[in-house]
Amino acid sequence: MTRRSSAREDQLRRALAQEAARIMAEQGVEDFLLAKRKAAERLLVTNNSTALPTNAEIEAALLEHQRLFHAQDQQQRLQEQRRAALHLMRLLNDFTPRLVGSVLSGSATAHAEINLHVFVDQPEQVAVRLDEQGIEHRHAEKKFRDQHERIRSYPSFKFVAGRQPMEIVVFPVNGIRQAPSSPVDGKPMARADVAEVTALLK
């Protein structure tokens, strides 16, 4: 590959990352692959997989997009999302809750879901706690890739509090020892406990 073609490819990859970030911020798309495909379609890029940005590049572009176009609103919204997460974490304190995902990383959009991991060997205990709090929810499942590249499914509960979508994924108690791979960079997912989320709000 010549230096000129490499530079063109880098420029195209940056443009795709920026367009994917715009789509995520403005259209509520949370899936990186879907955002990439929409961006490639929008910029008429076909059959050039080497030009596709990584998820980490898209997240960096999303943070930059928010800083440039939505700085004040995004910070206020992020604080509200983190306060809502902390409130839910305190309700689920018996299950060692951890905040994960874009609300933790700071890249959350207005449409972002608050994602919690909890740890208990009987997932129905989480359902009982939600019922006790009068929180209507639906059962689902969430798939993660582990550090050995295996795909595993875990039970989850989805609901909306106010206008804020939330998802609680239930891991067995020993699942706290090893976080699944992040869809952003493939590293173990960052997880924050109640104390750490409280510190973020300060």
Side-chain angles (χ1 to χ4, degrees):
M1 182 182 293
T2 66
R3 183 175 300 176
R4 181 175 297 175
S5 63
S6 177
R8 281 200 303 267
E9 201 162 84
D10 288 345
Q11 185 177 18
L12 178 58
R13 189 165 58 251
R14 283 194 296 272
L16 284 167
Q18 289 166 354
E19 178 61 16
R22 186 194 65 78
I23 289 168
M24 294 180 81
E26 297 178 4
Q27 298 182 17
V29 173
E30 292 197 69
D31 182 87
F32 284 99
L33 181 57
L34 178 58
K36 280 184 210 184
R37 287 173 175 168
K38 283 178 171 283
E41 182 179 339
R42 173 79 171 77
L43 299 182
L44 305 178
V45 176
T46 58
N47 300 322
N48 192 358
S49 60
T50 58
L52 291 178
T54 65
N55 293 351
E57 288 172 323
I58 294 173
E59 184 178 65
L62 179 56
L63 287 165
E64 179 67 8
H65 179 92
Q66 291 167 331
R67 185 185 69 81
L68 290 174
F69 300 107
H70 309 285
Q72 186 171 349
D73 290 344
Q74 199 269 342
Q75 282 303 311
Q76 181 179 344
R77 184 174 60 243
L78 183 61
Q79 290 294 87
E80 292 172 354
Q81 290 168 324
R82 287 172 172 170
R83 279 194 291 270
L86 184 60
H87 177 70
L88 181 60
M89 292 171 77
R90 286 171 172 160
L91 291 178
L92 300 171
N93 196 52
D94 293 345
F95 310 123
T96 326
R98 298 289 188 267
L99 177 63
V100 299
S102 61
V103 174
L104 175 59
S105 71
S107 63
T109 69
H111 315 279
E113 196 172 56
I114 291 174
N115 303 115
L116 296 187
H117 291 178
V118 299
F119 305 90
V120 61
D121 291 330
Q122 291 82 35
E124 60 272 14
Q125 292 184 23
V126 179
V128 169
R129 180 62 54 82
L130 294 175
D131 288 338
E132 289 172 348
Q133 299 296 324
I135 299 173
E136 295 185 8
H137 56 275
R138 64 181 178 89
H139 295 259
E141 69 172 29
K142 186 76 171 255
K143 292 183 179 180
F144 291 105
R145 189 181 302 276
D146 67 18
Q147 299 304 305
H148 302 288
E149 296 299 310
R150 295 172 299 201
I151 304 296
R152 296 183 179 274
S153 295
Y154 298 91
S156 70
F157 300 95
K158 286 178 169 283
F159 55 94
V160 176
R163 290 181 297 175
Q164 177 62 59
M166 298 189 173
E167 181 181 46
I168 302 166
V169 181
V170 185
F171 292 81
V173 170
N174 64 9
I176 202 167
R177 298 175 184 171
Q178 180 65 62
S181 298
S182 166
V184 176
D185 58 13
K187 297 177 181 177
M189 292 181 74
R191 288 168 163 168
D193 62 19
V194 167
E196 291 166 322
V197 177
T198 301
L200 286 175
L201 286 167
K202 293 179 180 178

